[in-house]
Amino acid sequence: ISEVDFQDSINVLGFSDELNKSLLQLYLDNRKEIRSILGELAPRLPSYHSLEWRLDVQLASRSLRQQIKPAVTMKLHLNHNEDQSAQVLQTDPATLLHLVQQLEQALGEMKMNHCRRIVRNMK
């Protein structure tokens, strides 16, 4: 990250100006080593490949003639290094809707200045 971004990041911690300058100088002296260490420590997470989904609805059973029981079944295909894997997930539509709302809220929070600064510093 640039000097300005680093200073912005440490200013919010409330340290004295002398300590901020010392931290900045220490960061500038060891920037390449810090980057290489952080690159090694980064988790190797699976990435999205594709998603298959199906809506199942049970309309009746022997004991209940009029019963509507929907379920969403999803097969999530992931890539991890050169390997591919699949996870099968099943949920009801209400829980799926709640999950979508939570994800949309998280995406909205990513637009806040504090989150943008953190993401910019992570790159």
Side-chain angles (χ1 to χ4, degrees):
I1 60 175
S2 69
E3 290 182 36
V4 175
D5 290 337
F6 184 79
Q7 287 175 333
D8 286 345
S9 298
I10 61 173
N11 281 341
V12 297
L13 299 175
F15 295 138
S16 67
D17 289 339
E18 288 181 27
L19 184 57
N20 285 346
K21 289 177 184 176
S22 298
L23 287 172
L24 176 61
Q25 189 59 44
L26 188 63
Y27 170 72
L28 293 175
D29 293 343
N30 299 301
R31 185 185 333 202
K32 290 181 182 177
E33 186 177 347
I34 291 170
R35 236 338 140 202
S36 66
I37 291 171
L38 288 175
E40 292 172 8
L41 295 177
R44 307 286 187 245
L45 299 174
S47 61
Y48 170 83
H49 178 68
S50 64
L51 177 73
E52 299 174 40
W53 62 275
R54 180 180 74 212
L55 177 64
D56 296 321
V57 180
Q58 181 179 357
L59 298 175
S61 65
R62 289 182 184 176
S63 58
L64 292 172
R65 292 188 180 215
Q66 292 185 341
Q67 163 188 353
I68 298 176
K69 201 170 168 185
V72 178
T73 304
M74 298 169 281
K75 188 173 186 180
L76 180 62
H77 297 273
L78 303 171
N79 291 332
H80 190 30
N81 299 333
E82 297 296 322
D83 301 329
Q84 286 193 352
S85 63
Q87 300 290 326
V88 178
L89 311 165
Q90 188 172 32
T91 185
D92 61 298
T95 304
L96 184 60
L97 181 62
H98 177 70
L99 180 62
V100 168
Q101 290 170 345
Q102 292 296 310
L103 289 172
E104 286 175 347
Q105 181 182 356
L107 284 173
E109 289 178 9
M110 285 298 296
K111 295 177 183 176
M112 297 175 64
N113 288 335
H114 180 70
C115 289
R116 283 184 183 169
R117 186 181 312 131
I118 291 171
V119 170
R120 186 175 61 229
N121 291 338
M122 290 173 57
K123 290 183 179 178

